[in-house]
Amino acid sequence: MTRPGILNFNKPTGMTSFDVVRIVRRGTGEKRVGHAGTLDPLATGVLLVLLGQAARITEYLMDLPKTYRATVRLGQSTDTYDAEGRVTNDRPVAVTEDEFRSVANEFLGETQQRPPAYSALKVGGQPAYKAARRGEEVDLAPRAVTVHRIDVTSFSAPFAEIEVECSRGTYIRTIAHDIGERLGCGAHLAGLVRTRIGPFSIDDATTDGELTEAFAAGDWPDLLQPIDLGLMALPALTARMSLEQDLRHGQPIVLDEESARPLPSPANGAEARAYAEDGSLIGIIRYDGEGAMWRPRKILSPER
């Protein structure tokens, strides 16, 4: 069985997220390989590839805040909101840097964002982009997203660069498109780099060439990060051996004074990382306030 873990991969342009999964599956021999957060082929940067049991925490990795560096091209709108689409409008650009900054700041905080028609979101059981390519009308409902930070790092019309830190489900190409609409000149996303997902930074990411060399040398497991690195936002608890066995058998536990680092007065529904006495990760547990006990949420099989 392949050692489970998280590969922080620096996806190159032109490669789909599934291309990366397929390459890792072939290079490792591991059948259970997935990823946490799709990057469009045009985009580059951090893609978290999950091997083995790491795939069980996908939802937690997806919820981590993400940071992007984006190039916005003013004056041209496209049907996909990025440089791969058909130009639908070409207008002159008479926008100052101050005007651009002012409009960009309007997207800070929690907003309702309408996803682009050319997206992988399902409509009638199929990805929306398939219907859009057939020329069908696609009307995706707005959804709540949060932009924690948006900085304009450079401006030289018709191009501007922004750095965006945002929540799960935020489309940066929609932000680029909407900025252009509010400025009255149109815009699309000309380039995108995902520089961070939670604690995973592009500075530490494995490149395509490094991964190829690691597969050839057979030392690719050294590139994997431990599963719990993606769970550091959760507090940690240590369960003594008898309680560990209860959790592994799907039984709730009550933490007592013999358990290390108990949480003080956890809220109902609070989650935590549970560790065994030897320091290995048992999994994720959730507090049941009504029974004053911790119930198994995601329990991992012990490594052999």
Side-chain angles (χ1 to χ4, degrees), residues 57-64 231 271 284 297-298:
I57 68 162
T58 299
E59 63 199 86
Y60 294 89
L61 297 173
M62 295 280 285
D63 282 339
L64 293 173
L231 300 172
E271 293 185 334
I284 301 168
R297 171 76 173 92
K298 298 269 187 177

Side-chain angles (χ1 to χ4, degrees), residues 65-273:
K66 300 169 178 63
T67 304
Y68 296 89
R69 186 169 63 246
T71 300
V72 179
R73 203 294 190 187
L74 297 169
Q76 284 185 346
S77 303
T78 71
D79 55 359
T80 60
Y81 298 177
D82 63 18
E84 293 188 320
R86 176 179 59 86
V87 175
T88 57
N89 218 323
D90 201 333
R91 288 169 277 188
V93 179
V95 175
T96 68
E97 181 173 351
D98 286 344
E99 289 171 334
F100 184 88
R101 288 180 182 275
S102 177
V103 169
N105 284 335
E106 294 177 9
F107 293 87
L108 281 170
E110 184 173 323
T111 60
Q112 291 291 318
Q113 184 187 72
R114 187 180 298 278
Y118 286 84
S119 69
L121 296 177
K122 296 294 181 65
V123 175
Q126 66 173 347
Y129 66 81
K130 291 188 176 181
R133 286 174 180 171
R134 293 195 298 266
E136 298 175 12
E137 188 72 24
V138 176
D139 186 20
L140 296 172
R143 56 184 183 175
V145 300
T146 301
V147 175
H148 305 291
R149 176 173 60 87
I150 183 165
D151 297 326
V152 180
T153 56
S154 71
F155 183 88
S156 180
F159 292 98
E161 287 193 357
I162 58 176
E163 187 171 86
V164 182
E165 182 181 350
C166 58
S167 68
R168 172 181 185 168
T170 305
Y171 281 89
I172 306 301
R173 53 193 165 112
T174 295
I175 291 178
H177 171 84
D178 291 349
I179 286 175
E181 292 304 297
R182 293 192 189 185
L183 287 169
C185 62
H188 69 265
L189 183 68
L192 185 68
V193 181
R194 185 155 64 194
T195 59
R196 180 175 291 277
I197 298 179
F200 301 93
S201 168
I202 195 171
D203 296 333
D204 306 316
T206 299
T207 66
D208 189 24
E210 290 169 341
L211 185 60
T212 300
E213 291 178 4
F215 285 152
D219 57 5
W220 59 265
D222 295 339
L223 301 175
L224 300 182
Q225 299 294 330
I227 294 176
D228 55 353
L229 182 58
L231 300 172
M232 290 300 166
L234 299 177
L237 298 171
T238 300
R240 55 190 171 87
M241 188 173 297
S242 61
L243 297 181
E244 174 190 351
Q245 294 307 310
D246 286 341
L247 287 173
R248 293 200 183 279
H249 287 92
Q251 301 300 314
I253 63 171
V254 176
L255 289 173
D256 52 30
E257 293 181 358
E258 294 183 42
S259 300
R261 296 178 291 164
L263 286 179
S265 303
N268 186 44
E271 293 185 334
R273 291 171 281 143

